[in-house]
Amino acid sequence: MAGTVQRVQISPPHPTLEVKTAEGAVWRVELGNPSQTERSGFTAASAKPGDAITAIGNRDRDTSQRRMKAVQIQVGGKTYDLYPERIQNPKR
């Protein structure tokens, strides 16, 4: 999924990003737990509203929900592997 960051929240149980797509839909992108997210290199300063983002992950099974669990995100030209063991073809 590609879009624009609307909000960044770094707090337990999972940091989240609100991302607006080109179609105007706002998605909730869940990251790893706070320590895991930090180990990936992503911090509260890594993204801010207005930044372009690409998120790769798993969509909520309930397709009426606009929510996904990210395994990898790209913001500002930097890639963050939140769950490296789940990435089949890492993008670098």
Side-chain angles (χ1 to χ4, degrees):
M1 171 189 25
T4 304
V5 174
Q6 301 294 295
R7 189 176 111 173
V8 178
Q9 182 175 339
I10 304 291
S11 61
H14 297 284
T16 59
L17 304 172
E18 286 183 10
V19 177
K20 187 173 187 178
T21 65
E23 295 80 24
V26 177
W27 283 71
R28 178 183 177 135
V29 178
E30 295 180 355
L31 309 179
N33 68 53
S35 60
Q36 182 175 9
T37 298
E38 189 175 319
R39 276 194 306 273
S40 77
F42 189 90
T43 67
S46 298
K48 63 185 181 318
D51 286 347
I53 183 172
T54 300
I56 298 169
N58 302 299
R59 183 177 185 169
D60 192 304
R61 288 184 183 181
D62 179 354
T63 57
S64 70
Q65 299 293 314
R66 291 189 178 118
R67 186 171 67 193
M68 73 177 295
K69 180 72 171 180
V71 297
Q72 182 183 73
I73 58 173
Q74 297 172 343
V75 182
K78 183 160 175 151
T79 300
Y80 302 93
D81 294 332
L82 301 160
Y83 292 95
E85 68 281 1
R86 298 182 188 175
I87 301 168
Q88 294 177 0
N89 297 312
K91 294 183 178 179
R92 292 283 168 215

